Amino acid sequence: MAKVRRQVPHPDEIFELLKFKKPDLNLKHARLEKAQTIEDLRKIAKRRTPSAAFDYTDGAADDEISMNRARQAFKDVEFHPSILNDVTNVDTSCEIFGGPSALPFGIAPTGFTRLMQTEGELAGASAAGKAGIPFCLSTLGTTSIEDVKAANPHGRNMFQLYVMRQREISYGLVERAAKAGFDTLFFTVDTPVAGARLRDKRNGFSIPPQISLGTVLNAIPRPWWWWDFITTPTLSFASLNSTGGTVGELLNAAMDPSIQFSDLEEIRSIWPGKLVVKGVQNVEDSKKLADLGVDGIILSNHGGRQLDRAPVPFHLVPEVVREVGKDLDVAMDTGIMHGADIVAALAVGAKFTFIGRAYLYGLMAGGEAGVAKTIEILSEQVRRTMQLLQVETIDELGPQHVTQLTRLAPRNLAKDARLDRGVV
């Protein structure tokens, strides 16, 4: 048996082997540096944010089946890498809706954002501009169109529109966004009424927050959130005259379940930039919108926050792109928590992706620095996944790089019903 020769170490050798890390006195920087994934940011966000505000971001409609299926769809992807390609440098840049993006993802519109963390949309727009990616402001955002433009003066700003019961409010927002130089309008079609956000109801989540014994107990370990909330400007909304009530009540008061294709035509007539329809969930509607000449569509089930058990956007991408991809840009959102999810979406045909919760987790974890960390994590994951697949550019990604493993096999219920009736 071989014996290892041992010796008494010299003190200098010990200190050479042991390098003590200097403490980081910047607590925000220290906690963000520890985050390696979006899930890490989510955990930090949960610790730092009152449960009602956190659950508004983290939750979805009813039993949250749509959200969980969307995430599972990405987990059920199998990648197929090539070999012996030079991927020393990869190019993650692309074009979407007539303009450039340094990365194949942008920041999706989110409502009530300053309730998550008081820097709100200003943090998102600023971080997006510095990263060279698009930022989209929601109709129910908590920062004005003009202030978002000031925070991201040279980057790409987009505006998400709800057509409201008072049409003049919606038209006025469109005109303001155009005047401020926003280049793309997202006409949202999946929200005729608010989805059943059960976490919000159970938490008694309202705008402004209502104080209860539970609220106080939940706030005790998070004094910084409440200090930020009470020492920064009062929440204001671009489109709501009143802010009293639950989120669902506010949405139902603002949204109009009677919107139709004629409303899309009216918006088209007053909007000078690119017009994109957000919330498309089937092939037939995609074809109709292509015939109407819109510039793009976003396959989305609103992050699972509207109709539970809605189609998984990632599953819709290949067929929709096959039908209308030559006529308009097809983007998608919902379920994206990793850069590999983004790469998978591009490989099956999506031209671009948008992130919502991932951005808000970063915001809650550390304001603008946290949003920048979200972008950094996802961009590194995108680059690494591309290198491991051994592709140099976004355009090289294709169906040959992914297999969607089957978990839920669709059954043709209409055909089954015809067979039951003896109709072939």
Side-chain angles (χ1 to χ4, degrees):
M1 180 177 177
K3 292 184 178 180
V4 177
R5 185 170 63 87
R6 299 187 182 277
Q7 63 185 27
V8 177
H10 191 277
D12 290 343
E13 294 175 342
I14 295 176
F15 287 114
E16 185 67 27
L17 291 171
L18 299 177
K19 298 291 184 181
F20 292 94
K21 185 178 180 180
K22 293 181 180 179
D24 191 339
L25 300 181
N26 184 327
L27 298 182
K28 179 192 292 187
H29 181 268
R31 68 173 178 266
L32 291 177
E33 277 299 297
K34 293 178 181 178
Q36 302 299 309
T37 65
I38 300 303
E39 179 58 28
D40 290 342
L41 289 176
R42 177 185 175 277
K43 291 175 181 176
I44 297 171
K46 188 173 184 178
R47 291 198 304 268
R48 297 189 59 79
T49 310
S51 59
F54 177 82
D55 279 348
Y56 173 73
T57 296
D58 196 58
D62 288 295
D63 294 325
E64 305 187 352
I65 294 170
S66 288
M67 177 181 70
N68 291 325
R69 282 180 179 173
R71 290 181 177 173
Q72 188 64 52
F74 286 118
K75 293 177 182 177
D76 288 343
V77 163
E78 180 179 84
F79 282 119
H80 306 292
S82 302
I83 62 170
L84 299 178
N85 295 321
D86 182 357
V87 286
T88 305
N89 299 299
V90 295
D91 183 1
T92 60
S93 65
C94 60
E95 281 210 0
I96 184 65
F97 308 144
S101 179
L103 296 161
F105 64 90
I107 292 181
T110 60
F112 312 111
T113 310
R114 283 189 55 227
L115 274 174
M116 310 307 110
Q117 202 271 355
T118 51
E119 294 177 39
E121 292 89 355
L122 295 179
S126 178
K130 291 171 183 175
I133 65 175
F135 173 84
C136 186
L137 174 66
S138 169
T139 293
L140 300 179
T142 46
T143 302
S144 73
I145 290 168
E146 293 76 17
D147 285 346
V148 165
K149 177 63 177 180
N152 186 21
H154 308 297
R156 294 191 65 191
N157 294 308
M158 303 176 177
F159 187 73
Q160 175 265 340
L161 180 73
Y162 289 120
V163 174
M164 307 173 77
R165 296 174 190 272
Q166 294 178 273
R167 292 293 194 271
E168 63 273 13
I169 295 177
S170 297
Y171 300 157
L173 291 170
V174 171
E175 292 167 357
R176 283 172 60 191
K179 184 177 179 180
F182 285 44
D183 60 60
T184 303
L185 186 74
F186 290 2
F187 184 96
T188 299
V189 295
D190 58 6
T191 317
V193 296
R197 317 280 177 82
L198 301 186
R199 289 204 214 182
D200 295 344
K201 292 181 179 179
R202 289 167 182 145
N203 286 326
F205 184 45
S206 62
I207 312 294
Q210 299 294 308
I211 304 299
S212 66
L213 178 59
T215 307
V216 172
L217 292 175
N218 190 252
I220 290 172
R222 301 170 178 87
W224 51 80
W225 188 93
W226 289 99
W227 175 253
D228 281 348
F229 184 75
I230 64 177
T231 59
T232 53
T234 303
L235 287 177
S236 60
F237 301 88
S239 57
L240 299 178
N241 295 322
S242 172
T243 59
T246 67
V247 172
E249 289 168 347
L250 291 171
L251 287 172
N252 283 330
M255 302 304 101
D256 188 349
S258 72
I259 63 169
Q260 302 176 52
F261 279 93
S262 58
D263 292 295
L264 177 62
E265 295 169 5
E266 180 66 25
I267 296 299
R268 171 79 281 181
S269 71
I270 62 176
W271 174 251
K274 298 292 184 180
L275 180 62
V276 174
V277 178
K278 180 179 183 294
V280 181
Q281 299 180 67
N282 64 59
V283 176
E284 290 307 311
D285 285 340
S286 302
K287 292 164 68 174
K288 186 169 185 177
L289 290 167
D291 291 340
L292 289 173
V294 302
D295 299 294
I297 59 175
I298 300 176
L299 301 175
S300 170
N301 63 29
H302 214 97
R305 299 166 69 80
Q306 285 299 106
L307 176 65
D308 207 11
R309 299 176 178 83
V312 174
F314 179 64
H315 288 165
L316 290 172
V317 171
E319 189 175 0
V320 170
V321 170
R322 188 161 53 246
E323 292 291 337
V324 303
K326 293 181 180 179
D327 303 314
L328 46 74
D329 287 350
V330 178
M332 68 147 290
D333 67 24
T334 304
I336 294 171
M337 290 286 285
H338 195 284
D341 302 341
I342 295 168
V343 172
L346 301 173
V348 299
K351 194 159 187 182
F352 201 73
T353 62
F354 286 91
I355 58 167
R357 287 185 181 88
Y359 142 60
L360 293 177
Y361 293 145
L363 177 67
M364 288 185 283
E368 182 177 342
V371 179
K373 186 66 176 182
T374 291
I375 296 171
E376 175 190 319
I377 288 171
L378 291 176
S379 63
E380 287 180 357
Q381 291 170 341
V382 167
R383 289 187 176 92
R384 186 183 306 112
T385 304
M386 288 177 64
Q387 287 178 307
L388 292 173
L389 284 173
Q390 300 201 31
V391 297
E392 285 187 285
T393 67
I394 298 295
D395 291 339
E396 290 178 40
L397 289 167
Q400 71 275 15
H401 292 114
V402 292
T403 294
Q404 175 72 67
L405 303 177
T406 301
R407 185 177 294 264
L408 295 173
R411 179 178 175 184
N412 192 327
L413 297 179
K415 181 179 179 181
D416 291 347
R418 291 196 299 272
L419 291 174
D420 290 341
R421 295 195 304 269
V423 179
V424 179

Short mmCIF file of all heavy atoms in Angstrom, two decimals, residues 237-278:
data_model
loop_
_atom_site.label_atom_id
_atom_site.label_comp_id
_atom_site.label_asym_id
_atom_site.label_seq_id
_atom_site.Cartn_x
_atom_site.Cartn_y
_atom_site.Cartn_z
N PHE A 237 -51.88 56.13 -11.25
CA PHE A 237 -52.07 55.25 -12.40
C PHE A 237 -52.41 56.08 -13.62
O PHE A 237 -53.12 57.09 -13.54
CB PHE A 237 -53.18 54.24 -12.13
CG PHE A 237 -52.90 53.37 -10.92
CD1 PHE A 237 -53.27 53.78 -9.66
CD2 PHE A 237 -52.24 52.16 -11.05
CE1 PHE A 237 -53.00 53.00 -8.54
CE2 PHE A 237 -51.97 51.37 -9.96
CZ PHE A 237 -52.35 51.79 -8.69
N ALA A 238 -51.94 55.62 -14.76
CA ALA A 238 -52.16 56.38 -15.99
C ALA A 238 -53.64 56.41 -16.37
O ALA A 238 -54.09 57.33 -17.03
CB ALA A 238 -51.34 55.76 -17.13
N SER A 239 -54.40 55.39 -15.95
CA SER A 239 -55.75 55.26 -16.50
C SER A 239 -56.85 55.15 -15.46
O SER A 239 -58.02 55.03 -15.81
CB SER A 239 -55.81 54.03 -17.40
OG SER A 239 -55.42 52.89 -16.66
N LEU A 240 -56.53 55.16 -14.18
CA LEU A 240 -57.55 54.98 -13.16
C LEU A 240 -57.77 56.28 -12.40
O LEU A 240 -56.83 56.88 -11.90
CB LEU A 240 -57.15 53.88 -12.17
CG LEU A 240 -56.94 52.48 -12.75
CD1 LEU A 240 -56.50 51.53 -11.65
CD2 LEU A 240 -58.22 51.98 -13.40
N ASN A 241 -59.03 56.69 -12.32
CA ASN A 241 -59.35 57.89 -11.56
C ASN A 241 -59.44 57.59 -10.07
O ASN A 241 -59.23 58.45 -9.24
CB ASN A 241 -60.68 58.49 -12.04
CG ASN A 241 -60.58 58.97 -13.47
OD1 ASN A 241 -59.56 59.51 -13.87
ND2 ASN A 241 -61.64 58.77 -14.24
N SER A 242 -59.79 56.35 -9.75
CA SER A 242 -59.93 55.95 -8.35
C SER A 242 -59.05 54.75 -8.09
O SER A 242 -58.89 53.88 -8.94
CB SER A 242 -61.39 55.59 -8.06
OG SER A 242 -61.52 55.03 -6.76
N THR A 243 -58.46 54.69 -6.89
CA THR A 243 -57.59 53.56 -6.56
C THR A 243 -58.11 52.79 -5.36
O THR A 243 -57.36 52.12 -4.68
CB THR A 243 -56.16 54.05 -6.27
OG1 THR A 243 -56.21 54.99 -5.18
CG2 THR A 243 -55.55 54.70 -7.47
N GLY A 244 -59.39 52.90 -5.06
CA GLY A 244 -59.93 52.18 -3.92
C GLY A 244 -60.56 50.86 -4.33
O GLY A 244 -61.43 50.84 -5.20
N GLY A 245 -60.14 49.76 -3.71
CA GLY A 245 -60.75 48.47 -4.00
C GLY A 245 -59.72 47.40 -4.24
O GLY A 245 -58.52 47.65 -4.30
N THR A 246 -60.21 46.17 -4.37
CA THR A 246 -59.32 45.08 -4.68
C THR A 246 -58.83 45.20 -6.12
O THR A 246 -59.43 45.91 -6.94
CB THR A 246 -60.02 43.72 -4.50
OG1 THR A 246 -61.05 43.59 -5.49
CG2 THR A 246 -60.64 43.60 -3.11
N VAL A 247 -57.76 44.46 -6.42
CA VAL A 247 -57.23 44.50 -7.79
C VAL A 247 -58.29 44.05 -8.79
O VAL A 247 -58.47 44.66 -9.84
CB VAL A 247 -55.97 43.63 -7.88
CG1 VAL A 247 -55.51 43.51 -9.33
CG2 VAL A 247 -54.86 44.24 -7.03
N GLY A 248 -59.01 42.96 -8.45
CA GLY A 248 -60.05 42.47 -9.35
C GLY A 248 -61.13 43.51 -9.59
O GLY A 248 -61.60 43.69 -10.72
N GLU A 249 -61.53 44.21 -8.54
CA GLU A 249 -62.56 45.25 -8.68
C GLU A 249 -62.06 46.39 -9.56
O GLU A 249 -62.82 46.92 -10.39
CB GLU A 249 -62.96 45.76 -7.30
CG GLU A 249 -63.76 44.76 -6.47
CD GLU A 249 -63.90 45.17 -5.03
OE1 GLU A 249 -63.18 46.11 -4.59
OE2 GLU A 249 -64.72 44.56 -4.32
N LEU A 250 -60.80 46.77 -9.38
CA LEU A 250 -60.24 47.84 -10.21
C LEU A 250 -60.18 47.43 -11.68
O LEU A 250 -60.52 48.21 -12.57
CB LEU A 250 -58.85 48.21 -9.70
CG LEU A 250 -58.79 48.91 -8.34
CD1 LEU A 250 -57.36 49.01 -7.85
CD2 LEU A 250 -59.43 50.28 -8.42
N LEU A 251 -59.75 46.19 -11.93
CA LEU A 251 -59.68 45.71 -13.30
C LEU A 251 -61.06 45.66 -13.94
O LEU A 251 -61.26 46.10 -15.08
CB LEU A 251 -59.03 44.33 -13.34
CG LEU A 251 -57.52 44.27 -13.10
CD1 LEU A 251 -57.06 42.83 -12.98
CD2 LEU A 251 -56.76 44.98 -14.21
N ASN A 252 -62.02 45.12 -13.22
CA ASN A 252 -63.37 45.00 -13.79
C ASN A 252 -64.00 46.36 -14.03
O ASN A 252 -64.81 46.52 -14.96
CB ASN A 252 -64.25 44.16 -12.87
CG ASN A 252 -63.95 42.67 -12.99
OD1 ASN A 252 -63.55 42.20 -14.05
ND2 ASN A 252 -64.14 41.94 -11.91
N ALA A 253 -63.65 47.35 -13.20
CA ALA A 253 -64.17 48.69 -13.41
C ALA A 253 -63.57 49.34 -14.65
O ALA A 253 -64.21 50.15 -15.33
CB ALA A 253 -63.89 49.56 -12.18
N ALA A 254 -62.33 48.97 -14.95
CA ALA A 254 -61.63 49.60 -16.07
C ALA A 254 -61.82 48.86 -17.39
O ALA A 254 -61.96 49.47 -18.45
CB ALA A 254 -60.14 49.68 -15.76
N MET A 255 -61.82 47.52 -17.35
CA MET A 255 -61.88 46.73 -18.58
C MET A 255 -63.27 46.76 -19.19
O MET A 255 -64.27 46.94 -18.51
CB MET A 255 -61.46 45.29 -18.32
CG MET A 255 -60.08 45.11 -17.72
SD MET A 255 -58.74 45.86 -18.67
CE MET A 255 -58.44 47.36 -17.75
N ASP A 256 -63.32 46.50 -20.50
CA ASP A 256 -64.60 46.49 -21.21
C ASP A 256 -64.78 45.14 -21.90
O ASP A 256 -64.05 44.82 -22.85
CB ASP A 256 -64.63 47.61 -22.25
CG ASP A 256 -66.00 47.76 -22.89
OD1 ASP A 256 -66.86 46.88 -22.67
OD2 ASP A 256 -66.22 48.74 -23.60
N PRO A 257 -65.72 44.31 -21.45
CA PRO A 257 -65.91 43.00 -22.07
C PRO A 257 -66.54 43.06 -23.45
O PRO A 257 -66.69 42.02 -24.11
CB PRO A 257 -66.84 42.28 -21.08
CG PRO A 257 -67.57 43.37 -20.37
CD PRO A 257 -66.60 44.51 -20.28
N SER A 258 -66.87 44.25 -23.92
CA SER A 258 -67.53 44.36 -25.23
C SER A 258 -66.55 44.67 -26.37
O SER A 258 -66.98 44.87 -27.51
CB SER A 258 -68.60 45.46 -25.19
OG SER A 258 -68.01 46.75 -25.13
N ILE A 259 -65.23 44.71 -26.11
CA ILE A 259 -64.30 45.09 -27.18
C ILE A 259 -64.36 44.07 -28.32
O ILE A 259 -64.54 42.87 -28.12
CB ILE A 259 -62.85 45.25 -26.68
CG1 ILE A 259 -62.29 43.94 -26.13
CG2 ILE A 259 -62.76 46.33 -25.64
CD1 ILE A 259 -60.79 43.99 -25.89
N GLN A 260 -64.19 44.59 -29.55
CA GLN A 260 -64.31 43.78 -30.76
C GLN A 260 -63.22 44.18 -31.75
O GLN A 260 -62.41 45.07 -31.48
CB GLN A 260 -65.70 43.96 -31.38
CG GLN A 260 -66.85 43.60 -30.44
CD GLN A 260 -68.19 43.88 -31.06
OE1 GLN A 260 -68.48 43.45 -32.18
NE2 GLN A 260 -69.02 44.64 -30.34
N PHE A 261 -63.23 43.54 -32.91
CA PHE A 261 -62.23 43.84 -33.93
C PHE A 261 -62.33 45.29 -34.40
O PHE A 261 -61.34 45.87 -34.84
CB PHE A 261 -62.36 42.88 -35.11
CG PHE A 261 -61.70 41.55 -34.88
CD1 PHE A 261 -62.42 40.48 -34.37
CD2 PHE A 261 -60.35 41.38 -35.15
CE1 PHE A 261 -61.80 39.26 -34.14
CE2 PHE A 261 -59.73 40.17 -34.92
CZ PHE A 261 -60.46 39.10 -34.42
N SER A 262 -63.50 45.89 -34.31
CA SER A 262 -63.64 47.29 -34.70
C SER A 262 -62.80 48.20 -33.82
O SER A 262 -62.31 49.25 -34.28
CB SER A 262 -65.11 47.71 -34.65
OG SER A 262 -65.63 47.51 -33.34
N ASP A 263 -62.62 47.81 -32.55
CA ASP A 263 -61.77 48.60 -31.67
C ASP A 263 -60.31 48.53 -32.11
O ASP A 263 -59.57 49.51 -32.02
CB ASP A 263 -61.90 48.10 -30.23
CG ASP A 263 -63.27 48.39 -29.64
OD1 ASP A 263 -63.59 49.57 -29.48
OD2 ASP A 263 -64.01 47.43 -29.36
N LEU A 264 -59.90 47.36 -32.58
CA LEU A 264 -58.55 47.22 -33.11
C LEU A 264 -58.34 48.14 -34.31
O LEU A 264 -57.31 48.80 -34.44
CB LEU A 264 -58.30 45.76 -33.50
CG LEU A 264 -56.95 45.44 -34.15
CD1 LEU A 264 -55.80 45.75 -33.21
CD2 LEU A 264 -56.91 43.97 -34.56
N GLU A 265 -59.35 48.19 -35.17
CA GLU A 265 -59.26 49.06 -36.35
C GLU A 265 -59.17 50.53 -35.95
O GLU A 265 -58.43 51.31 -36.56
CB GLU A 265 -60.47 48.82 -37.26
CG GLU A 265 -60.52 47.42 -37.86
CD GLU A 265 -61.84 47.11 -38.53
OE1 GLU A 265 -62.68 48.03 -38.61
OE2 GLU A 265 -62.03 45.96 -38.98
N GLU A 266 -59.92 50.91 -34.92
CA GLU A 266 -59.90 52.29 -34.46
C GLU A 266 -58.52 52.66 -33.91
O GLU A 266 -57.98 53.73 -34.22
CB GLU A 266 -60.97 52.50 -33.39
CG GLU A 266 -61.03 53.90 -32.82
CD GLU A 266 -61.49 54.93 -33.85
OE1 GLU A 266 -62.18 54.55 -34.81
OE2 GLU A 266 -61.16 56.12 -33.67
N ILE A 267 -57.94 51.78 -33.12
CA ILE A 267 -56.61 52.04 -32.57
C ILE A 267 -55.58 52.11 -33.69
O ILE A 267 -54.68 52.96 -33.69
CB ILE A 267 -56.23 50.95 -31.55
CG1 ILE A 267 -57.17 50.99 -30.34
CG2 ILE A 267 -54.78 51.10 -31.11
CD1 ILE A 267 -57.15 52.28 -29.56
N ARG A 268 -55.70 51.24 -34.66
CA ARG A 268 -54.78 51.25 -35.80
C ARG A 268 -54.79 52.61 -36.51
O ARG A 268 -53.75 53.10 -36.96
CB ARG A 268 -55.18 50.13 -36.77
CG ARG A 268 -54.46 50.13 -38.13
CD ARG A 268 -53.05 49.55 -38.09
NE ARG A 268 -52.05 50.47 -37.58
CZ ARG A 268 -50.76 50.19 -37.47
NH1 ARG A 268 -50.30 48.99 -37.82
NH2 ARG A 268 -49.91 51.07 -37.01
N SER A 269 -55.97 53.21 -36.58
CA SER A 269 -56.11 54.48 -37.30
C SER A 269 -55.43 55.64 -36.59
O SER A 269 -55.09 56.64 -37.23
CB SER A 269 -57.59 54.80 -37.52
OG SER A 269 -58.22 55.15 -36.30
N ILE A 270 -55.23 55.52 -35.26
CA ILE A 270 -54.63 56.65 -34.53
C ILE A 270 -53.21 56.36 -34.04
O ILE A 270 -52.56 57.25 -33.50
CB ILE A 270 -55.50 57.06 -33.33
CG1 ILE A 270 -55.63 55.93 -32.30
CG2 ILE A 270 -56.88 57.52 -33.80
CD1 ILE A 270 -56.41 56.31 -31.06
N TRP A 271 -52.74 55.11 -34.23
CA TRP A 271 -51.39 54.76 -33.75
C TRP A 271 -50.42 54.74 -34.91
O TRP A 271 -50.58 53.98 -35.87
CB TRP A 271 -51.40 53.41 -33.04
CG TRP A 271 -50.03 52.92 -32.65
CD1 TRP A 271 -49.33 51.90 -33.21
CD2 TRP A 271 -49.18 53.47 -31.64
NE1 TRP A 271 -48.10 51.77 -32.60
CE2 TRP A 271 -47.99 52.73 -31.63
CE3 TRP A 271 -49.34 54.53 -30.74
CZ2 TRP A 271 -46.94 53.01 -30.75
CZ3 TRP A 271 -48.29 54.80 -29.85
CH2 TRP A 271 -47.12 54.05 -29.87
N PRO A 272 -49.33 55.54 -34.88
CA PRO A 272 -48.42 55.63 -36.02
C PRO A 272 -47.34 54.56 -36.05
O PRO A 272 -46.67 54.37 -37.08
CB PRO A 272 -47.78 57.01 -35.83
CG PRO A 272 -47.78 57.20 -34.33
CD PRO A 272 -49.04 56.54 -33.82
N GLY A 273 -47.12 53.85 -34.94
CA GLY A 273 -46.02 52.89 -34.87
C GLY A 273 -46.45 51.47 -35.17
O GLY A 273 -47.47 51.21 -35.83
N LYS A 274 -45.65 50.51 -34.69
CA LYS A 274 -45.96 49.10 -34.89
C LYS A 274 -47.11 48.69 -33.96
O LYS A 274 -47.14 49.05 -32.79
CB LYS A 274 -44.73 48.24 -34.59
CG LYS A 274 -43.54 48.51 -35.51
CD LYS A 274 -43.84 48.08 -36.93
CE LYS A 274 -42.60 48.27 -37.82
NZ LYS A 274 -42.85 47.87 -39.22
N LEU A 275 -48.05 47.91 -34.52
CA LEU A 275 -49.20 47.46 -33.75
C LEU A 275 -49.12 45.95 -33.55
O LEU A 275 -49.05 45.18 -34.51
CB LEU A 275 -50.50 47.81 -34.47
CG LEU A 275 -51.79 47.39 -33.75
CD1 LEU A 275 -51.92 48.08 -32.40
CD2 LEU A 275 -53.01 47.69 -34.62
N VAL A 276 -49.10 45.54 -32.29
CA VAL A 276 -48.95 44.13 -31.92
C VAL A 276 -50.15 43.73 -31.06
O VAL A 276 -50.57 44.49 -30.18
CB VAL A 276 -47.64 43.93 -31.12
CG1 VAL A 276 -47.54 42.50 -30.60
CG2 VAL A 276 -46.44 44.26 -32.01
N VAL A 277 -50.70 42.56 -31.31
CA VAL A 277 -51.82 42.07 -30.52
C VAL A 277 -51.30 41.06 -29.50
O VAL A 277 -50.69 40.05 -29.87
CB VAL A 277 -52.91 41.44 -31.41
CG1 VAL A 277 -54.05 40.88 -30.55
CG2 VAL A 277 -53.45 42.48 -32.39
N LYS A 278 -51.55 41.33 -28.24
CA LYS A 278 -51.05 40.51 -27.14
C LYS A 278 -52.18 39.69 -26.52
O LYS A 278 -53.25 40.23 -26.24
CB LYS A 278 -50.40 41.39 -26.07
CG LYS A 278 -49.83 40.63 -24.87
CD LYS A 278 -49.19 41.60 -23.89
CE LYS A 278 -48.54 40.89 -22.72
NZ LYS A 278 -49.51 40.20 -21.85
#
